[in-house]
Amino acid sequence: MIGVHSGPVETEAGRAVAGVAARALRAAVETLSGPAFGGRAVGSPGQERARRWLSARLRETGLQVHEVAFPLTVWRAAAPAEARWLPPGAPPQPLRRWGDFAVHPRSAPAPTPLRGPVVPWDGRVPVRGAWVLLARGGPAPAEVLPKLRSAAALGLLVPQVADAGGLVKVLPSSAPWPLPVLRVRAEVAERLPGNELEAVIPEATAVEAIGVNLLADLPGGGGHRILVGAHYDGVGDDPDGTRFPGAADNASGVAVVLEVARVLARTRPPGGLDVTFALFDAEELGARGSAHLARTLAAGSAEAAQLSGVIVIDHVARWRGAVWVEMGPGSDALRAALDRAGRKLGIPLREGPVASDNRPLAAAGIPAAGLATGGERAHRMNDVPDAVDTGPMVQVARLVLGALWYLAAALQGM
C-alpha cells in the first residue's frame, strides 16, 4: 500500500491519502441532500443556495473559485400530473404520483382530462380513444407512437419496475412526443386492461435559465494540469414539496471532490501538476455543463493541450467489490496511474460504463476517466443520506489522490 514503500512518490502520496477524513465526506453528503437545497434542480433557488455553499467550501480551502455561466432551457410544469383508474362498478382509484405512475419526460401535455379504456398493444387491436399499454420488454415508445397517433389513441402507458423509492424521476431535456405518455409501476399496469384510465398532464413551459459551473485552481508549479470534477445538480424537489434529495446522485461525488481539494490544499499537489476542481451544472439535462466546458476546451486549443487528464466522479454510494472505471480515448497515462494507485492501495478497479460528465470531455479529445461505485436509489424519493455508505467515498478519494502522484511522476518521466 502507499506509504509502505520508501520511494518519494509513495511517501508523498501516502501522506495525502492518510489525510482523507470520512467525517468530512459524510457531513458534505448530509448537507447537500438537506431540505435547504431543495434537490438542486438547475435554475432553482435551492440549487443557487447549494452553489453558494459549495463556493464557500472551496474558498475555505484557500482556492479561488470561478463561476462560468452558460445558457440552457428547462421545462417547468405549473402543477403536478394526476391519474386514476376506474374499475367497472367500483369507485375511482387514484394513482400515486411517483409511487404508481410518473409522466414520461417526453410526454405531450393533456391539460384537460383524457379518459378511455386501457388496451394492451399487439400491433393490431383498435386503439381509437384508448390508452395503449405496452408489454414489458416490448417496442420502445418512439417506435409505436407514430402508429398510435395516426390511429387516434389517447396516449401510451409504459410499465416500469419500481422499488420502495418509487419510479425514477427523469427531467425533460428535449421536445415532447406527439401523444401523452405515462410510466406506470409494473404491478399497477398489470391490473389496468379492462378498466378505464383518466389522466391530466399540465403543460410544461420552456424557460430560459442559466447554468453555472464552478472551477477552482490549485497550482502545483508545473506545465501539466488535471481536472477532478463531479456534477452538483440534481433532479430537484417537486413544486408540491415531494423531495428528491439526491444524496447518492450526486452529493456523494461532490463530497469526494471537496475532500480531495481539502487534502491537496493542505499537502499541496504533486510537483509539476496543477489541479482544477470542477463542479458541473446541468448533468441531469444531458451533461450540459461539461459539454459547455468541452466546447471552451476545444481539442487543439492551448488550454486543452495543458490538460493531461480529467477524472469525473459520479454516484459513489455503495461498495460492490470494485470501483467502476470508464476510460476515454487517448487516456493511457491516466489509466496507468489509476491502475497503479489501485494496486498499491488495494482498491480493485473494473472496466464499466460511467455515463456522466466524463463523456463530453472525452468526446472533445481530452483524456478522461469516469469513476463510480453505484447505488440503487438514484433519482428516487428515497435517495437520502442513508443511501450512501461512507466507505466507497473514502476509497475513491484515496484512489484519486494516489493516481495524481503517479500521473505526475509519469509526466515528469520518473
Side-chain angles (χ1 to χ4, degrees):
M1 294 179 63
I2 289 176
V4 173
H5 304 277
S6 59
V9 173
E10 284 80 7
T11 300
E12 294 175 11
R15 293 195 189 102
V17 166
V20 173
R23 183 177 297 179
L25 289 160
R26 188 85 224 157
V29 168
E30 291 176 352
T31 299
L32 281 167
S33 55
F37 297 153
R40 309 185 307 277
V42 174
S44 69
Q47 194 211 30
E48 183 179 351
R49 289 191 290 271
R51 183 168 65 247
R52 290 199 300 266
W53 182 82
L54 289 166
S55 293
R57 286 291 308 275
L58 290 168
R59 290 190 176 100
E60 286 171 5
T61 67
L63 303 181
Q64 185 175 1
V65 180
H66 307 280
E67 295 191 354
V68 182
F70 55 94
L72 48 76
T73 301
V74 297
W75 281 261
R76 293 179 181 150
E82 298 179 6
R84 60 180 186 167
W85 62 294
L86 302 97
Q93 303 293 315
L95 298 181
R96 297 172 299 128
R97 187 166 50 91
W98 300 119
D100 297 324
F101 85 99
V103 178
H104 193 285
R106 295 198 63 183
S107 172
T112 58
L114 290 181
R115 177 174 174 174
V118 176
V119 176
W121 173 248
D122 65 2
R124 299 184 300 275
V125 298
V127 298
R128 176 178 292 275
W131 286 95
V132 177
L133 175 65
L134 286 183
R136 287 179 61 182
E143 296 177 22
V144 301
L145 280 169
K147 299 176 183 177
L148 300 183
R149 184 185 187 189
S150 63
L154 287 183
L156 182 63
L157 306 176
V158 182
Q160 293 194 338
V161 175
D163 64 9
L167 293 161
V168 171
K169 182 176 182 178
V170 183
L171 300 179
S173 59
S174 52
W177 284 327
L179 286 178
V181 182
L182 298 180
R183 297 179 290 132
V184 183
R185 181 188 285 266
E187 298 91 332
V188 173
E190 293 174 356
R191 302 166 62 189
L192 293 179
N195 300 280
E196 289 193 324
L197 179 78
E198 182 178 84
V200 175
I201 305 173
E203 187 167 3
T205 304
V207 178
E208 298 305 311
I210 299 295
V212 181
N213 291 333
L214 301 179
L215 302 176
D217 294 329
L218 183 61
H224 300 284
R225 178 174 299 278
I226 188 164
L227 183 148
V228 179
H231 76 88
Y232 71 98
D233 64 305
V235 294
D237 294 351
D238 285 353
D240 66 354
T242 302
R243 293 230 56 223
F244 288 83
D249 187 16
N250 185 35
S252 63
V254 174
V256 171
V257 173
L258 291 177
E259 183 61 5
V260 171
R262 186 191 68 81
V263 170
L264 285 185
R266 293 175 58 190
T267 63
R268 311 306 300 173
L273 194 66
D274 301 328
V275 183
T276 295
F277 300 98
L279 298 177
F280 296 111
D281 202 352
E283 192 270 352
E284 301 295 359
L285 293 176
R288 302 289 181 86
S290 52
H292 177 77
L293 179 61
R295 287 192 296 271
T296 63
L297 295 174
S301 69
E303 293 86 353
Q306 292 178 341
L307 262 181
S308 299
V310 171
I311 299 176
V312 169
I313 304 151
D314 197 341
H315 211 150
V316 284
R318 299 293 195 216
W319 184 249
R320 294 174 173 171
V323 176
W324 303 338
V325 182
E326 177 177 303
M327 304 301 305
S331 55
D332 290 347
L334 183 56
R335 180 196 298 270
L338 286 164
D339 180 69
R340 191 173 179 189
R343 292 176 185 276
K344 291 290 186 180
L345 289 163
I347 302 174
L349 308 184
R350 180 180 303 153
E351 292 274 0
V354 181
S356 190
D357 291 299
N358 48 298
R359 290 186 175 180
L361 293 161
I366 299 168
L371 306 182
T373 64
E376 67 278 352
R377 301 187 192 175
H379 296 203
R380 290 180 170 88
M381 296 179 289
N382 63 349
D383 188 8
V384 295
D386 72 3
V388 181
D389 295 331
T390 306
M393 294 190 292
V394 171
Q395 293 286 63
V396 172
R398 296 171 74 235
L399 175 67
V400 171
L401 287 165
L404 293 182
W405 259 267
Y406 287 121
L407 181 61
L411 293 172
Q412 293 176 16
M414 294 174 61

